[in-house]
Amino acid sequence: MKKLITLILIAFFVQTIQAQGVVKGVVTDMGGHPVSAAIVKTIDADTKKTLTFGQTDNKGTFTIKAKEGSILRISAMNYQKQDLKVTSDMSVQHIMLEEDVKMLAEITVKAKPVRIKGDTIQYLFTTYAKPGDRTLGDVLARVPGFEVNKDNGQIIYEGKSISNFYIEGMDMLGGKYGVATKSLPQNDVATVEVMKHHQPIRVLDDFTYSDDDAINIRMKKGAKARWVTTFNSGTGYGNRTALWNFESFALRLKQNWQTMITYKTNNTGKDIIHEMDDLLSLFDLNSRVSNQISLPSPPSTTLALRSLFNRSHALSINTTNRINENSQINYKLTYTNDRQEGNSERRTEYYTTQGSRVIDNHKHYVEHTNDLYAKIKYENNAHSQYLKNELSGDFKWAKQSLAEQGSHPHDMKARLPIFTIKDNLTIMRKYGNRLFSFESRNLMEVRPNHLVVDSIRQDINQHFYETDNKLSGSFKLGKLVLTSTAGIDAAQYVFTSNLVGIPDTIGMLAGKSNFAIFKAYASPNMEYRLGDFIFTLSSDLSFNRYKYSLDKAFTRCLFSPYIRVRWNATPRWSFTMSGSLNSSDVDINQFYPTLILADYEYINQGMTDYRIARTKNAALTIKYNNALHGTSFYLTVNRMFTNSPYTHSQTYLGNYIIQKLVSQTTRDNSWRINLMGSQGIELIKGKLNIRAMYNALNSEIVQNDVLMPWNTKMVSLSADVMTGLIKNVDIDYKLTYRLNNMQMPALGTSSTLNSWKHEASTRVSLTKALSMSSQVEYYHNQIAAHQFKDIFFMDYSVRYALRKFDLTLMLSNILNKKHYDYGVNGTMVSSYSTQEIRGREIMFSIYYKP
């Protein structure tokens, strides 16, 4: 009997040992920041008694003994607790705690709807939302310091585009985040976090100072427990045709998985194509090839939806899977189908040494594009190592047609496809105070373009290949960080052209060429931090060899130094001064042997010359930010001097203008000033935005073999006031002024054009469910000396909001204006255009959010 009891006790003890295990994990907030001192404990599933107890360390990690079948509970102040069931095969856990939104609201609203935690600024989103706001971009445009591009959804903070866009700490959309800005339902957003000095690669945290700002969208709890969907459908009548609009949005957020799907289509003039633009492609290897054929189309975005005659379709599918704490894989697929049409009357005046040349034409333009984009990206972003590889393909088919009647009637048709494949690989590894990295960027692009102008035919085939591979090493010695990069860049450009229908007395009409580049380079960089000062000194050293198939090879060495001093004077004020001496690279687009017909009027001619331009640049940047008081200020001043061995030349030959480069030294100097200010004003319950830009350029151009100075000044000023001072009434007023002055001293003439634009919108909530909105626009455009054209627009809409439905009736362009007049200055040319715009339209739409 004793032996039996002993065996039973041993079996029970063994079973207990087997059921008892160890659970390891890391606890972060939804932005990926570690949560220290979080309480970690195990609880008996039946008795609810605490079995074991522990806390997370400074890195958010924990190790705790846990019994299989028990409950693992993680809790921290200001965060919602989270429970997990303990299993026998639990891997290392990555637990993300959601901030207690109720607590945040109680703490924040009493003071201001802004909260600062270190370098992170949190904006409580609901305090800025107004009745009628539907998307993230609608509300974000009201937050002090933010600007939102209405066309592509680009977000600008304190005068600078954001560097990364996250949803719940995950980068699902990459650079194409405009679809979220213009689609994400605002009432599902809890907070918007601005991460100052954001460094997306963890390995670089201690090695590189970042002046970039990123945003992280944190959703409400209910938005993470289900599919978030919206539907917007409308129909109407205008311009003697039926109108349609349909938009669908679906978002699913889980702890290790995110997906967003959108489909939009309309013919109402709403621009949905630019929502798919790549807004964060600064570090991509971009093609060096430029468009050689471009038909002069009426600008479709002059008045946004008022001037866009379209039939558009856009589909976007985005998915992110988090594999573990550090790794994730992204899939992206977008497809757009767009047809645009435009009509305009244009009077163009060319200023020449032989007197002014005036052309009057009526333009009818049609463009049809299909664009298919796909990307797959794997990323492992750990504290000691980083690995990323992304493969993408962008396949665009474009057809253009332009019929012109008037001084020089023409009928033009163009096919302009562009096929691009990219592969980017990045590997980084940290060893104590040392960092090593390898990066390989590869690109292949093909452009088989075709143009027909009356009886003239132009065929161009452009093939471009480039690979850029580099090794980098960083060493940290106290406050000094030394970084050096060495690499090899190789590219090949194959050009084939055939032009039929123009006399060969002007130049060569058919031919083929090959241009190859080999570049070995090194980029040493030194960064030293002394208190609030950060000193940066770097340079680019390169050995370059070029080989053009129709000329002998050429070799040169280049040196481009750069220096910057940043002073973080206070947590709110920062000052940056920088200077550089830059040597531009050889432009492959000037190396071709034949004439190229760009459109019915301009013929481009290549030039074989390896000389390059050199630029001296000095810049000053002043930034101020006080998020708690809704104040931001951003000022940049740039002074540049460029010495180029070439001068752009225009030669008038019959009905054609021959454009080329000539061996004539040009010395340009320019000023660029950009000022942005934003202030939240408690007194009027709104905010004030101001922006000022000034560009001045003194340059030269050769026209009909005569060197002439050519100077331009451009000024843009705008002020925007939003107020909700009157109960249930929101008012927005914006004033914009633009000036463009072109001086041509050799011809004794100049052209100055300025324009004023007034925009005002009012939204009135009559009851909780019923509201009405009105919008007016007034333009005062100069078209010639002492001649102005005025135009006035008025829109009106009524909205009735139910629990899940919004019903909207909108009448646009009530005064039924059909044409818009404006003037434009170009290079030794000015034009006056009358553009056809959308007339009076009525639209009824239903917005549904389950």
Side-chain angles (χ1 to χ4, degrees):
M1 187 67 180
K2 292 182 179 180
K3 292 183 178 180
L4 179 61
I5 295 174
T6 302
L7 289 173
I8 293 174
L9 292 175
I10 292 174
F12 178 77
F13 178 75
V14 170
Q15 184 178 2
T16 303
I17 293 297
Q18 290 176 343
Q20 187 83 12
V22 174
V23 178
K24 297 181 179 181
V26 60
V27 180
T28 68
D29 61 17
M30 301 307 290
H33 306 103
V35 177
S36 60
I39 303 300
V40 182
K41 58 184 178 181
T42 61
I43 301 173
D44 189 282
D46 297 323
T47 64
K48 308 302 180 184
K49 293 183 178 180
T50 300
L51 302 177
T52 55
F53 178 89
Q55 282 186 318
T56 58
D57 60 17
N58 292 333
K59 296 182 179 180
T61 61
F62 68 88
T63 300
I64 191 170
K65 293 182 178 180
K67 177 183 177 182
E68 182 180 352
S70 62
I71 303 299
L72 180 69
R73 175 168 294 175
I74 299 92
S75 59
M77 185 176 296
N78 296 338
Y79 292 93
Q80 297 181 13
K81 66 182 179 181
Q82 189 171 144
D83 290 347
L84 298 173
K85 186 176 181 180
V86 178
T87 60
S88 59
D89 57 347
M90 291 186 76
S91 59
V92 176
Q93 299 295 299
H94 180 201
I95 300 166
M96 293 188 294
L97 297 182
E98 181 179 359
E99 190 162 357
D100 193 327
V101 176
K102 181 179 179 181
M103 183 176 294
L104 176 64
E106 292 173 353
I107 295 174
T108 306
V109 172
K110 291 179 181 179
K112 288 182 181 292
V114 180
R115 186 177 181 182
I116 300 178
K117 299 186 343 183
D119 282 342
T120 300
I121 304 172
Q122 293 180 332
Y123 294 88
L124 188 62
F125 208 60
T126 55
T127 61
Y128 296 96
K130 298 286 186 178
D133 290 336
R134 288 179 177 169
T135 68
L136 171 70
D138 291 340
V139 181
L140 209 57
R142 282 200 197 87
V143 182
F146 283 92
E147 294 178 88
V148 179
N149 187 304
K150 295 181 180 180
D151 294 326
N152 58 18
Q154 183 181 29
I155 299 173
I156 297 173
Y157 185 71
E158 295 181 355
K160 186 178 179 181
S161 178
I162 62 170
S163 63
N164 292 83
F165 182 94
Y166 302 99
I167 299 178
E168 295 292 352
M170 296 176 67
D171 182 12
M172 173 172 54
L173 301 171
K176 296 179 181 290
Y177 67 82
V179 66
T181 309
K182 303 187 70 174
S183 301
L184 191 64
Q186 62 85 11
N187 54 7
D188 285 313
V189 177
T191 60
V192 173
E193 295 180 338
V194 176
M195 296 176 284
K196 307 288 293 182
H197 313 300
H198 176 64
Q199 176 53 261
I201 302 176
R202 298 175 184 174
V203 172
L204 298 178
D205 278 340
D206 297 330
F207 287 88
T208 303
Y209 177 83
S210 173
D211 196 28
D212 294 331
D213 300 329
I215 70 169
N216 180 40
I217 308 301
R218 301 183 66 173
M219 307 295 289
K220 294 179 180 177
K221 182 178 180 180
K224 292 179 287 187
R226 58 180 174 82
W227 277 94
V228 176
T229 58
T230 63
F231 302 91
N232 186 23
S233 180
T235 185
Y237 184 80
N239 296 309
R240 300 177 299 279
T241 186
L243 303 176
W244 80 79
N245 176 63
F246 177 78
E247 300 180 359
S248 62
F249 171 85
L251 173 70
R252 186 68 169 101
L253 302 176
K254 301 183 75 173
Q255 181 174 346
N256 294 317
W257 178 70
Q258 294 182 354
T259 189
M260 179 186 292
I261 304 172
T262 64
Y263 171 69
K264 300 184 179 184
T265 178
N266 77 86
N267 70 339
T268 62
K270 188 175 182 179
D271 185 4
I272 59 176
I273 303 303
H274 288 294
E275 294 179 16
M276 309 297 174
D277 289 348
D278 199 344
L279 305 175
L280 302 175
S281 60
L282 296 177
F283 301 103
D284 270 3
L285 183 63
N286 295 315
S287 174
R288 305 191 192 198
V289 180
S290 61
N291 287 330
Q292 297 285 4
I293 296 175
S294 179
L295 300 188
S297 63
S300 59
T301 56
T302 303
L303 293 172
L305 60 85
R306 299 192 191 278
S307 59
L308 184 63
F309 293 85
N310 71 309
R311 293 203 298 267
S312 305
H313 307 267
L315 171 68
S316 173
I317 303 174
N318 305 272
T319 300
T320 293
N321 291 327
R322 191 196 299 271
I323 301 172
N324 54 44
E325 176 193 354
N326 302 316
S327 301
Q328 66 179 31
I329 187 167
N330 300 74
Y331 308 92
K332 182 184 297 293
L333 177 69
T334 64
Y335 172 72
T336 60
N337 176 286
D338 187 42
R339 184 187 186 275
Q340 294 187 17
E341 187 173 0
N343 290 281
S344 68
E345 299 278 350
R346 180 175 296 179
R347 180 182 178 87
T348 307
E349 182 176 2
Y350 300 87
Y351 303 98
T352 75
T353 55
Q354 302 169 353
S356 293
R357 174 186 178 185
V358 179
I359 294 178
D360 291 296
N361 273 345
H362 170 79
K363 298 175 179 287
H364 176 72
Y365 178 82
V366 177
E367 180 178 26
H368 195 173
T369 61
N370 290 274
D371 191 355
L372 177 64
Y373 176 87
K375 181 169 77 171
I376 180 171
K377 179 180 75 171
Y378 171 78
E379 185 176 32
N380 183 289
N381 192 3
H383 290 283
S384 60
Q385 64 183 17
Y386 179 78
L387 170 64
K388 181 182 74 172
N389 190 75
E390 53 185 11
L391 176 66
S392 65
D394 193 356
F395 308 97
K396 181 180 294 185
W397 298 265
K399 293 182 179 180
Q400 298 176 347
S401 66
L402 177 63
E404 294 209 357
Q405 302 296 325
S407 302
H408 299 290
H410 298 281
D411 188 14
M412 292 166 275
K413 297 183 183 299
R415 293 199 307 268
L416 309 173
I418 303 175
F419 309 125
T420 306
I421 296 177
K422 295 182 181 180
D423 182 74
N424 297 325
L425 171 66
T426 303
I427 302 173
M428 296 182 182
R429 181 73 182 179
K430 181 165 64 174
Y431 301 92
N433 291 331
R434 296 171 296 167
L435 175 70
F436 300 96
S437 66
F438 170 75
E439 185 174 355
S440 177
R441 300 183 298 170
N442 305 276
L443 178 145
M444 179 178 69
E445 185 171 273
V446 179
R447 300 190 182 205
N449 294 344
H450 171 78
L451 171 67
V452 173
V453 180
D454 303 326
S455 59
I456 304 172
R457 179 186 179 96
Q458 172 74 77
D459 291 296
I460 299 177
N461 274 286
Q462 298 168 285
H463 296 251
F464 180 72
Y465 315 90
E466 183 171 6
T467 179
D468 184 7
N469 301 274
K470 59 185 178 182
L471 287 168
S472 300
S474 295
F475 304 90
K476 187 176 181 182
L477 305 172
K479 299 179 180 180
L480 178 66
V481 177
L482 301 175
T483 303
S484 183
T485 300
I488 293 177
D489 188 352
Q492 185 176 38
Y493 174 51
V494 180
F495 172 90
T496 305
S497 176
N498 185 39
L499 178 58
V500 178
I502 289 181
D504 58 7
T505 54
I506 301 178
M508 184 183 297
L509 304 182
K512 181 178 181 179
S513 64
N514 188 306
F515 190 88
I517 299 175
F518 175 83
K519 177 181 178 181
Y521 60 90
S523 302
N525 180 85
M526 180 184 72
E527 184 177 284
Y528 182 72
R529 303 186 186 188
L530 180 62
D532 296 324
F533 288 89
I534 302 174
F535 301 88
T536 303
L537 177 63
S538 63
S539 64
D540 290 329
L541 306 168
S542 64
F543 168 82
N544 302 268
R545 181 175 175 82
Y546 314 101
K547 181 61 178 75
Y548 182 46
S549 59
L550 303 180
D551 192 37
K552 61 183 180 180
F554 184 83
T555 301
R556 72 153 52 92
C557 294
L558 296 175
F559 172 65
S560 299
Y562 169 81
I563 186 171
R564 183 184 71 176
V565 179
R566 178 185 174 92
W567 177 32
N568 297 317
T570 70
R572 296 183 176 130
W573 282 99
S574 69
F575 303 84
T576 304
M577 295 183 63
S578 63
S580 63
L581 298 174
N582 298 320
S583 299
S584 62
D585 205 349
V586 168
D587 184 5
I588 65 172
N589 296 282
Q590 75 183 43
F591 288 83
Y592 54 89
T594 68
L595 299 177
I596 297 177
L597 184 67
D599 55 41
Y600 73 95
E601 186 175 33
Y602 286 94
I603 296 178
N604 296 328
Q605 185 173 342
M607 182 183 189
T608 304
D609 197 322
Y610 298 102
R611 292 177 298 167
I612 58 175
R614 302 180 186 276
T615 301
K616 301 176 183 178
N617 180 47
L620 169 67
T621 301
I622 302 175
K623 294 179 67 174
Y624 174 81
N625 179 52
N626 186 339
L628 292 177
H629 290 85
T631 307
S632 66
F633 173 84
Y634 181 87
L635 172 67
T636 60
V637 181
N638 279 272
R639 182 68 166 136
M640 290 187 294
F641 299 88
T642 301
N643 192 336
S644 174
Y646 311 119
T647 301
H648 289 274
S649 170
Q650 293 180 344
T651 301
Y652 290 83
L653 188 63
N655 293 329
Y656 296 107
I657 302 174
I658 311 297
Q659 297 188 127
K660 61 181 180 180
L661 297 174
V662 296
S663 295
Q664 172 71 48
T665 301
T666 301
R667 293 178 175 84
D668 297 344
N669 68 86
S670 64
W671 284 94
R672 294 180 183 176
I673 302 175
N674 186 9
L675 168 68
M676 190 283 296
S678 181
Q679 175 64 61
I681 305 176
E682 186 75 20
L683 181 64
I684 63 173
K685 297 181 179 180
K687 77 167 185 174
L688 168 67
N689 284 339
I690 59 171
R691 179 178 282 277
M693 289 183 289
Y694 172 77
N695 291 332
L697 172 65
N698 298 324
S699 187
E700 295 172 320
I701 190 171
V702 173
Q703 189 184 92
N704 296 331
D705 299 324
V706 177
L707 180 65
M708 295 186 298
W710 173 67
N711 307 321
T712 62
K713 291 183 176 66
M714 289 182 288
V715 177
S716 177
L717 305 172
S718 67
D720 185 2
V721 179
M722 300 179 183
T723 175
L725 181 61
I726 304 175
K727 185 178 180 181
N728 299 327
V729 178
D730 296 304
I731 300 174
D732 183 3
Y733 171 74
K734 185 176 182 179
L735 174 64
T736 304
Y737 171 74
R738 289 188 174 91
L739 168 70
N740 187 308
N741 173 261
M742 178 174 58
Q743 298 283 343
M744 297 159 284
L747 300 179
T749 187
S750 65
S751 175
T752 300
L753 299 173
N754 63 69
S755 64
W756 293 86
K757 178 181 179 182
H758 301 262
E759 301 171 85
S761 63
T762 304
R763 184 162 53 192
V764 181
S765 298
L766 301 175
T767 66
K768 185 176 180 180
L770 183 64
S771 64
M772 65 178 187
S773 301
S774 62
Q775 180 175 332
V776 295
E777 298 174 20
Y778 171 68
Y779 296 84
H780 183 65
N781 296 335
Q782 185 174 6
I783 60 174
H786 311 296
Q787 294 185 35
F788 289 83
K789 286 285 187 177
D790 299 327
I791 189 169
F792 185 81
F793 295 104
M794 181 180 294
D795 305 323
Y796 181 79
S797 65
V798 178
R799 175 174 173 263
Y800 188 75
L802 301 172
R803 183 171 176 269
K804 294 184 178 181
F805 291 90
D806 283 356
L807 307 179
T808 304
L809 179 65
M810 180 173 184
L811 183 64
S812 58
N813 195 359
I814 296 176
L815 303 180
N816 201 27
K817 301 294 184 180
K818 297 291 185 67
H819 299 93
Y820 174 75
D821 301 282
Y822 62 97
V824 174
N825 280 334
T827 304
M828 304 292 288
V829 60
S830 64
S831 64
Y832 155 58
S833 296
T834 299
Q835 183 175 352
E836 180 184 358
I837 56 178
R838 306 177 71 95
R840 185 185 296 121
E841 296 177 343
I842 187 170
M843 192 83 180
F844 175 75
S845 62
I846 301 175
Y847 178 81
Y848 172 61
K849 186 177 185 301

